[in-house]
Each structure stands twice: as structure tokens, then as C-alpha cells.
Amino acid sequence: KTRGFPMYTIEFLKSIIQSNLLTFSVKSRQWIWDEALIETQMISEGVVALLTRKLQQLPKDVIGSLKVASCFGQINVSTIKLLDLEQFVPDLQNSLDLAVKEGILEKAGPIFAFSHDMLQQSSYELMPLNERNFLHKTIAMSLARDPEIANDAELCTIAVDQLMICNDMSLLKPLERALFAKLNLVAGKNAMGASSYQQARGYFESGIRFLTKKAWDKQYFLCLELHEMSVVVSFMDGQVETVSSR
């Protein structure tokens, strides 16, 4: 049930001790337990629920940093410096360092990553859906405010990916939609350069969806390039049947 991961095993043992399902008998000088009850608890609890309770006991700022990190999976210090997320966690990098000390995150050079994918899932599931969407959008907008983002294809990709996860364009104002249409164009070209044609087409099509109804009048060249690139990458990927829609 704990998938052989030491942290899960330790936390599960703590939980059954706290529930008095595993106790030490001074009289008989041995550990005693009710296997049937423990087995029932294992079936009903699950690893993620167990870890979620553990995470909820951490300091508020550490929990906030884990929520942010769970939106990425792994996060670079250079990206952290661009994020304006004080409403979620006042000092993100310091709180991530504390999560490393707790053994929840690992740090390799400038990169923070979860020590296990189940820890990322547990951290992500601390948030209800509306909070997740708001955080993804806030991260995307925070990155998009960087004046040099259009010259950084990797950063563009991170920003648009965050917004695509959110998947709710109704949260965006017209100027924000126009900005992310441009960023999707940059991300799509970057994916094309890496020969990821299907992914590139996804970015171009996403960029087209961000365009406003009057885009052909107000953003003609952006609109034209997004449609042209979508057609080109469809040919390159052998998806000729999709070209007629553009």
C-alpha cells in the first residue's frame, strides 16, 4: 500500500500508532496490533490521504510553497525570482528551502523538485479546483509581466502551459488574451524547432483561440501568422486533413 517508499511507510506507522492500532505491551514485552483493523484502515485511507494529513501539519508558508511547486513539478530558481505570489507565500524560495529540510522536496543546483511524484500529487490536491485555476492563472500572469518574456521561448512555454492547465479563458481580459496569443506563437515556434510538431500545433491553435472576435481587424499580422503556422506545422506532422479548417 505504501509502494515501498520509506516516507509513506513511516507516516503510516505513525498513523496506526496514534490510532492505538499498534501498541507496545510492557507486560508481554512485545508489540501488539489488530491486523484486521489495520488492514481495513489501509484500504480506506490510501497513501495520498495519509500524506495530505502530514502536509497539512506543516507551517502555512511551507504549505503555500508546496502548492506553488506542485503546479510545476520542478521549478528553477530563475523562475522563482520572476514570480509575484506574495498573496500565496511571502518568501517562496525560503519556504521551498524549508520543504527541502522536511524531505518533501529535493534541490539539485538551482532546481527544486518533489522527492516523489505522490508528494506532488498530495500537495496539488490540498487545493480545491477553483484555487488551482486561480493559482495557475496568477503564475502565468506573473511570468507574462516580465518585459523580456517574448525573447525567452522557454519562459513563454512555461507561462502558456500554466494558463492552458487553468483552461478558463473567461478569466482573462482582452489585453491579456492578446498577450497570450503572442506568447503561444513564440512557444509554438520553439516546439517546431524541437520537431515537436503536434505540440507546436497545439500552441498555435491555443493562440488562435485567445484572439478576440475582431482580431483580423485589430491584430491582422498576429492573426495571419498564427493561422499560417498552424497550417505549416499540420503539413509537417502529416495532418493534412486538418488544414482545410484553416
Side-chain angles (χ1 to χ4, degrees):
K1 190 68 176 179
T2 58
R3 303 191 182 185
F5 189 49
M7 187 176 193
Y8 301 163
T9 306
I10 292 169
E11 291 306 316
F12 186 76
L13 283 171
K14 286 180 181 178
S15 73
I16 60 176
I17 289 171
Q18 290 169 356
S19 301
N20 293 319
L21 297 177
L22 173 64
T23 58
F24 186 77
S25 171
V26 177
K27 184 178 180 179
S28 59
R29 297 183 180 182
Q30 66 179 5
W31 289 95
I32 57 175
W33 59 88
D34 189 324
E35 187 172 344
L37 283 176
I38 291 175
E39 184 65 25
T40 302
Q41 186 178 9
M42 290 178 72
I43 293 171
S44 62
E45 289 288 339
V47 173
V48 175
L50 186 67
L51 288 174
T52 299
R53 288 204 307 274
K54 166 69 174 178
L55 295 173
Q56 288 172 336
Q57 297 170 4
L58 294 171
K60 181 180 178 181
D61 288 352
V62 176
I63 294 175
S65 71
L66 291 174
K67 288 178 178 180
V68 173
S70 71
C71 292
F72 291 89
Q74 63 179 36
I75 182 171
N76 197 301
V77 170
S78 61
T79 303
I80 293 171
K81 292 178 179 178
L82 296 174
L83 295 173
D84 181 14
L85 300 172
E86 288 195 5
Q87 58 185 308
F88 292 98
V89 52
D91 189 341
L92 179 57
Q93 187 165 342
N94 181 60
S95 296
L96 290 173
D97 285 330
L98 291 175
V100 172
K101 292 180 181 178
E102 291 285 344
I104 298 169
L105 296 179
E106 295 177 346
K107 189 177 182 183
I111 297 175
F112 290 92
F114 284 90
S115 54
H116 196 280
D117 57 355
M118 291 293 286
L119 286 168
Q120 179 185 354
Q121 181 184 346
S122 299
S123 299
Y124 195 66
E125 290 183 357
L126 289 174
M127 299 180 284
L129 181 60
N130 61 331
E131 184 181 348
R132 293 179 203 172
N133 287 340
F134 182 69
L135 180 53
H136 281 299
K137 190 225 174 183
T138 304
I139 290 171
M141 292 306 305
S142 185
L143 295 175
R145 292 190 191 101
D146 181 5
E148 298 298 320
I149 189 170
N151 300 319
D152 189 334
E154 183 178 349
L155 197 60
C156 282
T157 302
I158 295 173
V160 298
D161 283 348
Q162 288 293 317
L163 205 60
M164 287 169 72
I165 295 171
C166 172
N167 197 29
D168 187 354
M169 289 188 288
S170 65
L171 297 173
L172 296 178
K173 300 174 184 177
L175 287 177
E176 294 172 341
R177 291 172 67 102
L179 172 60
F180 277 95
K182 294 177 184 177
L183 298 185
N184 270 279
L185 178 62
V186 176
K189 289 180 177 179
N190 185 52
M192 273 185 76
S195 300
S196 300
Y197 302 128
Q198 185 175 2
Q199 185 181 30
R201 185 171 184 273
Y203 286 128
F204 295 137
E205 289 297 314
S206 178
I208 291 170
R209 288 194 296 273
F210 278 117
L211 294 170
T212 60
K213 294 180 179 179
K214 296 183 179 180
W216 283 106
D217 297 325
K218 296 184 177 181
Q219 298 171 288
Y220 177 81
F221 291 105
L222 173 61
C223 196
L224 179 63
E225 190 169 10
L226 280 167
H227 282 80
E228 285 182 341
M229 295 305 295
S230 180
V231 170
V232 169
V233 79
S234 294
F235 271 114
M236 295 175 74
D237 195 34
Q239 303 295 322
V240 182
E241 68 277 3
T242 64
V243 174
S244 59
S245 64
R246 292 298 170 216

